[in-house]
Amino acid sequence: MNLARYSIERPTTSWILLFILLIGGFIALQSLGRLEDPEFTIKQALVITPYPGASAQQVEEEVTVPLENALQELEYIDHITSTSMPGQSQIMVEVKDTYRSHQIPQIWDELRRKVNDQARNLPPGAGPVMVKDDFSDVFGVLLALTGDGYDLPALKDHAKYLRRELALVPGVAKVIISGMQQEQVVAEVSRSRLANLGIPPQRIYELLATQNTVSNAGRVRLGDHAVRFETSGEFTSVEQLSTLIISNPGAREQIYLGDVATIYRQLQPIPTHVLRFNEQPSLWVGVSFARNVNVVEVGASLNQRLAELEANTPVGMQLNIIYNQPEEVDRSVSGFLLNLAQAVVIVIVALLLTMGLRSGFLIGFVLLLTVLGTFIFMYLLGINLHRVSLGALIIALGMLVDNAIVITEGMLVGVQRGQSRLRAAQHVLRQNAWPLLGATVIAILAFAPIGLSKDATGEFAGSLFWVLLLSLGLSWFTALMLIPFLGDRLFRKGIKTAASDAELYGNRIYRGYRSLLAFALRFRVGTMVLMTGLLVFALLGFTQVKQSFFPSSNTPAFYVDLWYPQGTDIRATARDSAKAEQWLLQQPEVTQVASTVGQGAPRFTLPYIVEMQHENYAQLIVRTTTPDVLPNLIARTQQQLTAHHPDARMQLRRMEIGPPVKAAVEVRFSGSDPDVLRQLSLQAQAIFRADPGLNLIRDNWRERSKVLRPQFNESHARRVGITKQDIDDLILANFQGKRVGVYRDGTNLLPIVVRAPEEERVYLEQWQDIQVYSPALNRYIPMAQVIDSMPLAWEEQIIHRRDRKRTLAVMADAYPMHEETPAQMFARVRADIEAIALPPGYEMQWGGEYEASSKAKNALFASLPLGYLAMFIITVLLFSSVRKAVVIWTTVPLSIIGVTLGLLLTNQAFSFMALLGILSLTGMLIKNGIVLLEQVNTEERSGKSGYQALVDAAVSRVRPVMMAAVTTIVGMIPLLFDEFFASMAVTIMFGLGFATLLTLIVVPVMYSLILRQRPPRESE
């Protein structure tokens, strides 16, 4: 089909297409879902198995290892990492990156079946096994409920009310409450009174366990009615527990539980998770959003509902915002839309200034239509607006005008040569339609490795490829369909006709370029030697460029992770971290501090690392006034914590963008003997400490912790009828409390806990006086008769495993706000670490940012050869010549010259996004080369000699190539101020700036060399 004739002679169709793109684009923009970051699936599930009373080694051998062996049979598994601690096993299951989000639910179902099958073989006392497959849920709105004068149970009641109401807001997927403490009914039973009365503790346990149970008494038929039996005796209040008769059967006196015990309700004294907001105890309410919703709109509905519920909030309670994703998304997307609008305006202004008003307006208007049309296809394909998709549009801007510039330039030149508008349009489309399509496909294929990358980084940045595919493909179509239509109307009057090509290309710019090109062609070998020399210098200079993975976020917040010595009680952790929180709130830059003790916060952003349960861990989430104050504040915080919290190991870090890593530098040692692993750890830590840039050096097994080991005398115990279980129950009831039953309070089931009064359980030194009941003697005897001693020893409290092998990881991070990247520090310590002598059977692996970056780049490079091969084949097919394809591809490695120069001048790191910038450069370079060589073919077909055709073609392509470069470079300016895209913008701007020289000089020179097109002798 002759698109030029069709679009010009059928204006109705063209007008309809134009208004569909214009109006439909604006409507689609308003309807698109909005997110802060692109959705990517965290392919992890957590298998938690309690095993009360077991040591870390017992947990490992009896629970963790059998479950790991069962899980390893699943073909989907990439890695299995586990943590065995006293009383609990935690297994993290990570699925291979090749599986996408729609496949994950089925995988978790199979995982559950494996776990449930193996759970039957676990030792008595272990379980129940819990599988948390919602570990990757993101609670984009995180609220802290506080109340001056209110206790946690009161906060819990209102939090439950909020959870019920907020879950009904359209677009909300789930609402959770974090930090709830278990309430319990405590019976403090005096040992001395029980001993005097001769009542065995087991009797109290049994009565409390059975009195309040729900049991079935059946039913009876009375006439035509079925009547159920319901025996009285259940407790309806805590006070009724005091009336429970505990005297021995047949005894004259009735002894009540209240005679020997004090009974009351209280929160569990040893919390599992402590939350605070601005120094106040709090509960956190997390709200997650449904998939493919406009987070900003749902956030507005959520705010409206919260405002409506404010009237039902008890006086003194307050709901505070820890993190508000809709607000962040609105700010982020609005900022990117502003950047996009600025980039469009900058490009249009550049076109108007360099192409003339008519041509500039024509190209700029079609550019706007292309961008709006891309929004339509994004809406149809479910691609949301977020950091990556909007960044892709900005990256594409320069390339979007390439096709339009070529068609507009060709049509304008044709009219200037005296052709009719229709004929000029037909000629330029016939000449360039297929080469431009091939060049556009090549530009798209340059980004294909991102779309085809199988890892999490590819999933995170994959929309970059799809948005570029849509926008570049649409730009080719609009250039062919709308440029002739609009050009026919704009080029009707006022176009000056040129007498010859010399007049068309006779200004100073063209004459200067022609002279430079003639000089380069005269000294072809020298030109390429110079370029090769520059490339060598660039490669050497590239070794001085900083390397990184992903940059930090510009959100005005940072994390303070505090690790206290292993074995620290969670209450001590909470007390000391509260002092750090108090100091931070006194700093003028700090607006709020949210603290979580015992484990990490609910995942409120995708890159957030949720720390597992550890009593010695606390994290402060610090919000500041602006991002600019972060460097100075983080440095001051580091100094304050070092001086006033000497027992804590601290890690201060900004919020991240992209897949997160636990440590900047990490090395893992695997083997069987903990002592050998710790020895290897000490060697690695010594090397890390010798490096001036590394900080927070630690290993994940941490310190050995204390354990009391009562020495049970079995022969003495057997004579008095006492078992090890009796001793364990006694110690548990005396010092912590033994759970013996359940008290039902409406929808709440409260455990009934029996323990000794405080005055009898404070002093450990009195353990010899603790009375244990002897069934054989029917009386109490001192525990010292069956326990010889209670020595204090040391034990491994954490045993980590990776892929079924004991693995110890040594980790280190950079000093806060340190200028060096993790890659630079890794490069310094790598050789020394790898020189550590490993005993037979032991292995060493690198982790941290090096592993994550290598994994992402390997996934990218895995599909890179195929993409580049396809690009090269298309180039060959376009010209039916391998030699001409080689001419174009010669320029690709030379683009490193401009990239190195740009990164060094701006002090930007070569990040993963910069790598993607190099890929885009490849597409741009080849596209420009194709357009130039196609013009050479056209000139040769017109009868010109090889050399003259080459020079004339190069001269005629100066403006399209230069304008494509200029528009791309100026379109990148807004991205320079975004940390995520800054390195990519620098890579493209400087790389393309130098690449333009390559296209206009090196391509003709290489063409002359490879196709033997020497200048005429008289010109030498």
Side-chain angles (χ1 to χ4, degrees), residues 728-744:
D728 288 340
D729 288 344
L730 175 64
I731 294 174
L732 177 64
N734 190 78
F735 290 102
Q736 182 175 337
K738 177 179 173 61
R739 178 172 175 169
V740 297
V742 174
Y743 173 78
R744 295 195 302 281

Side-chain angles (χ1 to χ4, degrees), residues 142-144 176-178 275-276 282-286 322 594-596 601-602:
L142 193 57
L143 308 170
I176 64 162
I177 303 173
S178 288
L275 296 174
R276 291 190 300 266
S282 67
L283 297 178
W284 292 1
V285 179
I322 299 175
S595 304
T596 171

Side-chain angles (χ1 to χ4, degrees), residues 85 271-272 561-574 576-577 596-599 611-619 647-650 699-703 705 797-798:
M85 300 176 289
T272 57
D561 291 335
L562 298 172
W563 289 95
Y564 293 86
Q566 189 63 33
T568 301
D569 189 279
I570 189 172
R571 291 162 290 189
T573 303
D576 193 79
S577 61
T596 171
V597 182
Q599 65 184 67
E611 193 60 56
M612 300 293 100
Q613 288 186 350
H614 298 285
E615 287 193 47
N616 60 328
Y617 172 76
Q619 183 182 72
D647 291 339
R649 290 179 177 173
M650 63 213 69
D699 66 52
N700 62 348
W701 284 43
R702 303 188 185 95
E703 306 85 3
S705 57
Q797 199 167 41
I798 296 180

Side-chain angles (χ1 to χ4, degrees), residues 472-702:
L472 291 177
L474 186 60
S475 75
W476 177 79
F477 177 74
T478 54
L480 268 57
M481 188 73 183
L482 293 180
I483 292 292
F485 167 67
L486 295 173
D488 180 61
R489 279 146 182 79
L490 289 173
F491 297 153
R492 287 181 177 179
K493 295 179 181 179
I495 303 298
K496 184 179 178 181
T497 304
S500 64
D501 285 357
E503 184 178 344
L504 276 175
Y505 305 112
N507 62 38
R508 285 182 298 174
I509 295 176
Y510 289 114
R511 290 199 304 271
Y513 170 68
R514 188 184 291 271
S515 299
L516 178 63
L517 179 60
F519 180 81
L521 288 171
R522 183 177 302 121
F523 301 101
R524 299 176 300 174
V525 176
T527 300
M528 294 314 300
V529 169
L530 174 63
M531 289 297 170
T532 304
L534 289 175
L535 177 61
V536 171
F537 278 113
L539 293 174
L540 292 174
F542 196 79
T543 60
Q544 305 303 313
V545 174
K546 295 188 295 185
Q547 306 287 312
S548 73
F549 187 30
F550 277 102
S552 298
S553 169
N554 56 4
T555 303
F558 68 98
Y559 306 120
V560 180
D561 291 335
L562 298 172
W563 289 95
Y564 293 86
Q566 189 63 33
T568 301
D569 189 279
I570 189 172
R571 291 162 290 189
T573 303
R575 183 180 65 250
D576 193 79
S577 61
K579 298 176 184 177
E581 182 179 346
Q582 183 180 30
W583 180 86
L584 281 163
L585 285 170
Q586 293 171 356
Q587 308 310 302
E589 309 97 322
V590 174
T591 59
Q592 65 183 45
V593 179
S595 304
T596 171
V597 182
Q599 65 184 67
R603 191 189 303 277
F604 56 92
T605 65
L606 272 171
Y608 178 73
I609 298 176
V610 181
E611 193 60 56
M612 300 293 100
Q613 288 186 350
H614 298 285
E615 287 193 47
N616 60 328
Y617 172 76
Q619 183 182 72
L620 312 182
I621 304 170
V622 186
R623 191 90 183 190
T624 63
T625 51
T626 63
D628 299 332
V629 304
L630 286 175
N632 182 265
L633 178 60
I634 289 176
R636 292 205 323 267
T637 305
Q638 173 82 17
Q639 294 172 358
Q640 169 70 16
L641 294 176
T642 302
H644 295 89
H645 300 265
D647 291 339
R649 290 179 177 173
M650 63 213 69
Q651 181 182 20
L652 286 76
R653 52 195 173 91
R654 297 180 63 174
M655 295 182 71
E656 297 295 322
I657 301 174
V661 291
K662 274 199 169 185
V665 181
E666 175 185 332
V667 60
R668 295 189 293 263
F669 298 102
S670 299
S672 57
D673 190 340
D675 292 330
V676 175
L677 292 176
R678 287 191 177 276
Q679 188 60 39
L680 293 171
S681 169
L682 291 175
Q683 295 181 56
Q685 289 186 50
I687 294 171
F688 284 170
R689 285 194 179 91
D691 188 273
L694 291 176
N695 180 39
L696 188 61
I697 298 158
R698 74 276 187 196
D699 66 52
N700 62 348
W701 284 43
R702 303 188 185 95

Side-chain angles (χ1 to χ4, degrees), residues 197-367:
L197 295 171
I199 299 174
Q202 194 63 34
R203 175 162 179 75
I204 297 177
Y205 301 162
E206 291 172 356
L207 288 171
L208 287 173
T210 58
Q211 184 76 11
N212 208 35
T213 57
V214 175
S215 54
N216 182 23
R219 71 180 201 179
V220 66
R221 179 176 177 178
L222 295 179
D224 291 336
H225 298 278
V227 181
R228 187 174 66 86
F229 290 104
E230 184 176 7
T231 307
S232 64
E234 292 183 15
F235 305 127
T236 57
S237 70
V238 172
E239 290 73 20
Q240 285 185 351
L241 288 171
S242 301
T243 64
L244 184 65
I245 299 174
I246 62 171
S247 50
N248 291 322
R252 285 186 174 184
E253 298 181 7
Q254 285 191 336
I255 302 172
Y256 299 94
L257 182 59
D259 295 333
V260 298
T262 303
I263 303 168
Y264 55 91
R265 289 172 67 154
Q266 70 160 190
L267 290 177
Q268 186 176 324
I270 305 176
T272 57
H273 192 194
V274 178
L275 296 174
R276 291 190 300 266
F277 183 85
N278 288 349
E279 297 187 272
Q280 289 185 291
S282 67
L283 297 178
W284 292 1
V285 179
V287 181
S288 68
F289 300 103
R291 294 178 65 88
N292 297 320
V293 296
N294 189 324
V295 170
V296 177
E297 292 180 357
V298 179
S301 301
L302 201 62
N303 290 335
Q304 180 182 349
R305 186 60 183 144
L306 286 171
E308 294 169 356
L309 297 175
E310 195 170 343
N312 298 328
T313 302
V315 176
M317 284 193 190
Q318 189 174 359
L319 206 56
N320 311 276
I321 297 174
I322 299 175
Y323 191 80
N324 188 349
Q325 190 185 66
E327 183 179 308
E328 298 290 339
V329 169
D330 190 35
R331 180 180 59 81
S332 175
V333 172
S334 297
F336 262 98
L337 286 173
L338 179 61
N339 287 345
L340 179 61
Q342 289 174 344
V344 171
V345 170
I346 289 171
V347 170
I348 291 175
V349 169
L351 290 168
L352 291 173
L353 292 175
T354 55
M355 296 287 291
L357 292 178
R358 298 187 193 190
S359 298
F361 172 78
L362 174 57
I363 298 169
F365 184 63
V366 172
L367 167 66

